[in-house]
Amino acid sequence: MHITQLNRECLLHLFSFLDKNSRKSLAKTCHKLLEVFQDPLLWSLLNFHSPAELKKDNFLLGPALKYLSICWYSERVKVCNVEDWMKNNFQKDFCNRHENTVSDFLLEVCNRCPNLLSLTLSGCGHVTDDCLLLLLKNCPNLKTLKLENCVRITDQTLEAVTLYGGSLQTLHVDFCRNITQTGLERVREKHPSIMLRAERSANMIPDNKPEKKLMFEKASRKLVQL
């Protein structure tokens, strides 16, 4: 039996075992397999391992998407996680090449994937609070939000969770150095049922320039002297 003689359900099942590139390659072989590739049921889960993958045309983004993860574990992530005021020209040039890639993709998710249930972002150093605010507003059924090593995320995202995260059951903000204990306590107060985790976040040093830190230390010493 030729593969195209299988019914739609069998073909969808077979496609589900393939990665995105393999699905795209197989879809190019005939019209029937292209239709399977374009079936929304095939795209309820998407996993990406670098920002570059977000620009490829080997997947479909639509209302069927329920589970999304963008996890970048490359050594290059360390460059993005350097405080902006500390980056040299080479590092700035590197970041500029993909600074808006993840955020732009998440904006597409906001517009096209209202049924999203789970989002995991790891190593996405350029994602901002505004982006996650829009996502929480546009994906009201979101139950799981896991953020790891997303250095631009601040208490503004936690505030957005208290306002628009009514369906959230799990919230992780691990290694997000600009999250504070005050923001975490507010989430616990407003949504005590959320399973909240913040490993190595609220105790980390935030992105302040040395001058700001020095002024704060001097003010603290003056208060102690008084």
Side-chain angles (χ1 to χ4, degrees):
M1 177 183 290
H2 193 273
I3 187 173
T4 56
Q5 293 179 282
L6 296 173
N7 61 35
R8 186 63 164 259
E9 289 74 18
C10 289
L11 289 173
L12 281 170
H13 185 66
L14 289 175
F15 264 75
S16 68
F17 290 100
L18 303 176
D19 60 32
K20 294 187 289 293
N21 285 333
S22 299
R23 291 177 182 180
K24 182 67 175 182
S25 297
L26 191 56
K28 292 179 179 179
T29 60
C30 74
H31 183 72
K32 183 173 183 178
L33 295 181
L34 176 61
E35 289 182 347
V36 176
F37 176 85
Q38 295 173 338
D39 193 316
L41 294 176
L42 190 62
W43 303 102
S44 62
L45 183 152
L46 283 173
N47 295 316
F48 299 95
H49 304 291
S50 77
E53 293 185 11
L54 302 176
K55 296 183 177 182
K56 296 182 178 180
D57 62 347
N58 59 359
F59 62 90
L60 292 184
L61 201 61
L65 182 63
K66 300 291 182 63
Y67 307 94
L68 171 63
S69 71
I70 306 172
C71 299
W72 195 22
Y73 298 119
S74 167
E75 284 291 315
R76 298 180 179 182
V77 172
K78 295 180 180 179
V79 177
C80 299
N81 290 340
V82 174
E83 290 90 337
D84 288 339
W85 56 271
M86 287 185 63
K87 290 176 182 173
N88 58 39
N89 289 333
F90 173 79
Q91 292 170 324
K92 290 178 180 178
D93 180 65
F94 171 79
C95 289
N96 286 338
R97 297 175 190 175
H98 63 268
E99 181 169 2
N100 298 315
T101 301
V102 177
S103 295
D104 290 346
F105 181 81
L106 290 177
L107 291 178
E108 287 294 313
V109 172
C110 290
N111 295 327
R112 300 163 62 180
C113 310
N115 301 311
L116 190 68
L117 298 178
S118 175
L119 173 64
T120 298
L121 301 176
S122 180
C124 299
H126 300 297
V127 173
T128 63
D129 294 313
D130 290 340
C131 186
L132 289 178
L133 168 63
L134 285 175
L135 190 132
L136 286 164
K137 281 184 175 181
N138 288 278
C139 302
N141 299 318
L142 193 69
K143 298 182 182 300
T144 300
L145 178 60
K146 295 182 179 180
L147 307 175
E148 179 186 68
N149 217 1
C150 297
V151 296
R152 291 192 182 181
I153 298 305
T154 71
D155 287 356
Q156 292 183 38
T157 289
L158 299 183
E159 183 64 23
V161 166
T162 65
L163 295 174
Y164 306 106
S167 299
L168 271 184
Q169 299 174 357
T170 300
L171 174 63
H172 293 177
V173 283
D174 299 333
F175 293 87
C176 298
R177 62 172 175 253
N178 289 299
I179 293 292
T180 70
Q181 194 63 42
T182 301
L184 294 172
E185 290 299 330
R186 181 164 175 78
V187 173
R188 291 189 180 100
E189 177 187 349
K190 295 292 184 178
H191 293 288
S193 62
I194 289 181
M195 294 179 60
L196 179 61
R197 191 179 81 184
E199 182 180 346
R200 301 289 293 276
S201 287
N203 295 324
M204 298 178 73
I205 299 174
D207 291 347
N208 293 316
K209 289 188 177 182
E211 305 90 86
K212 294 183 179 179
K213 294 178 187 177
L214 184 60
M215 292 174 61
F216 178 78
E217 289 171 359
K218 288 181 178 178
S220 299
R221 283 198 295 269
K222 288 182 179 179
L223 287 175
V224 170
Q225 291 172 358
L226 293 175

